[in-house]
Each structure stands twice: as structure tokens, then as C-alpha cells.
Amino acid sequence: MDALLEPEIFHALTAADRDVMMAMRERLEPNKGRLLRGPDARADFDAVKLFTPFYPGVTYAADTVGGVAGWWCRPASPTVPDQALLFLHGGAYVLGTAEAFRTLVSQVVGRAGIECFVPDYRLAPENPFPAAVEDALAAYHGLAALGKHRIGIVGDSAGGGLSLVLTASLVAQAGAVVPRVAVVYSPWTDLALTSESMHTQAEADFLLTKAALATNAALYLQGHDAYDPQASPVYGDLAGLPPVQVHVGQAEVLLDDARRYVARAQATGTTAELHVWESLTHVFIGSAGTLVAASEALDLSTDFLCRHLA
């Protein structure tokens, strides 16, 4: 694995969060990997998102941007007209809706004070690769057409990987409005599933399994090369990217997907921060209001967004 040029920022687990994580493990481990069982899990997956509380004062409106339907999440106070966030949701490219993810996105929007559009990009297997990439690009260009010239890209899990694909694609496009910043949580950057943590963290991760990820990767790729940088951003050209901040739990099989990506980005001269959270698992920010670390990670990431969009 490539070495990080700038050391990762390690966050120790608090005693209060340790108790919460022990209870979560006891409750969730019996169904490990089951939430990613394919399209049949869509209703269950969306229902899980309701456990994340809505941030007070954030409002919501359905809309279409760049030809892609989705939801606006807007903070209570007015935002700067040319600033916006684009949030690409997780769900292994098979699950998830913009409407369900309003809970998680509200936690970002409320803290950042910046409006955000969440597109309902097309899902596999009905719409395999590169449909998600095409829709992400269309939504982003739609924001630019609305006069949003200071845009930050945010995403979690598969949406985190898609966010990094989108960012690199825009940097490579001549004449494109380039995003100012990207923040991703537990990104899935290698659909070939070659990261060491797929094995070393297999027991520690009580949510995801390599087998479940492989099933969904196959549904999305449908025979396409998993090493294509448009599918797996860790294999792409990472030179010239805007600042990137990555948050990942130490106890997740995607740990090295984050480490490898940040190491490769740093090697090109990109400003890339990696925050590793002790004993926490996949997209732990969804436990805002329950885990102290979730609120701390959200505060750190939204501060990073605001500084680079200012």
C-alpha cells in the first residue's frame, strides 16, 4: 500500500462512544452484510436512514437540476448565492434515495450553512455503470448553470467514491467549473476489492462484508472493468484536484480504500486529509446525536468545506 506523505489524523474513541458501539455491535452484527443484499433491500435501506435525526431549521424541496431529479436541503439562514454543495448518497450503487438521505444531508447543511442538492442518480442493476457517473456530472453542470460557481462535492460510501470520480472528471474537463473542495465519508474507492482491510478488518466490521460488496459491484459494473478510474477512483489521475478531506472508521473493511486514495492524492501534491476514527464503523456520521464522534466529524468536515468555499 502507498505510504501517506502527511500522517493520518487519528481520533481516539471516547468512553461514551465505546458503550454505544458495543450496543450497536450486539444489535447489528447478526445481520452483517444483509442490508446490501441487492434491490430487495431498498425499502429497508431507506428506513435505516430515518435513524439519523433531521438538523433543526433545515428545509427541503423536490426539484430537478441538470435533468436529474432530487431534493434541495437548505439551511435556516440565507446562503451565499453562488455557493452550493452536491451530495452523492451511498448505497453500493444499488440502494438509496435522495429523499431518504435528507436526514444525513441536513446534518451537513445545518452545520455548513450552505444549500445542497441531492440527486437521485440512476441505480443498478436497472441502470448499470456509467449511469451514476453521467447523472452526477449532469447534476453538477446543472448547479453551475444556476450560477453556482463555488461548489463543494460531498458523499458517503459508494457516493463518496462517486464524488471522487466526479471531482477528477471535472478537473479533466476543459472549461468546466471546477469544484473548490471535496469531503467524503467512508468512500468506496476500489470496486476491484483489493484493499488489505477487506481481510484485516473483516471481523471488526459488523456492517459490511467483502462478499456483499462484491455482489453489488457486479450489479453495477455488469462486466465492466473494475479498475476503470470512472468506477474506482483510486486508480485515476489524482493530480490537480481541489482539497479533499476523508473520514473513515478504523473498524471497517473500507479503511484501506480511504488510506490508499489519500496516499495517492498526496503523492501528486493534492491537499488531502485523512481522519481515522478508532473502533468506528461504516459512515458512522449517520449516528449524529448518538455518537460524540459523529458530531465531531461533521463539525470538522463542514469547517473544511466552508474554509475552501469562502
Side-chain angles (χ1 to χ4, degrees), residues 262-286:
V262 171
R264 291 207 62 236
Q266 289 178 352
T268 70
T270 293
T271 298
E273 288 185 8
L274 176 62
H275 293 257
V276 177
W277 297 79
E278 183 184 9
S279 298
L280 298 188
T281 192
H282 192 59
V283 194
F284 64 89
I285 59 164

Side-chain angles (χ1 to χ4, degrees), residues 11 17 36 59 64 68 74 87-88 98 113 128 134 136-137 147 150 168 185 197 233 254 256 264 268:
H11 302 268
D17 282 354
L36 295 186
T59 59
T64 299
V68 183
R74 294 187 169 105
F87 189 103
L88 300 173
E134 294 169 348
L137 280 164
R150 287 187 284 173
Y185 309 100
S197 55
L254 293 178
D256 287 341
R264 291 207 62 236
T268 70

Side-chain angles (χ1 to χ4, degrees), residues 3 20 47-48 56 85 97-98 103 111 167 172 175 197 202 212 218 244 246 263 265 280 287 292 302 308 310:
V20 173
V48 167
L85 302 176
T97 61
T103 54
R111 287 171 166 83
T167 301
S197 55
V244 178
V246 180
L280 298 188
S287 296
V292 174
T302 52
H308 291 287

Side-chain angles (χ1 to χ4, degrees), residues 151-154 163-164 167 171 178-184 238-246 261-262 265 269-274 301 304-305 307-309:
I151 303 174
I153 298 178
V154 190
S163 294
L164 298 173
T167 301
V171 168
V178 177
R180 299 288 186 93
V181 61
V183 166
V184 291
L238 307 186
L241 297 181
V244 178
Q245 188 180 82
V246 180
Y261 181 88
V262 171
T270 293
T271 298
E273 288 185 8
L274 176 62
S301 58
F304 189 82
L305 288 168
R307 282 190 285 114
H308 291 287
L309 287 174

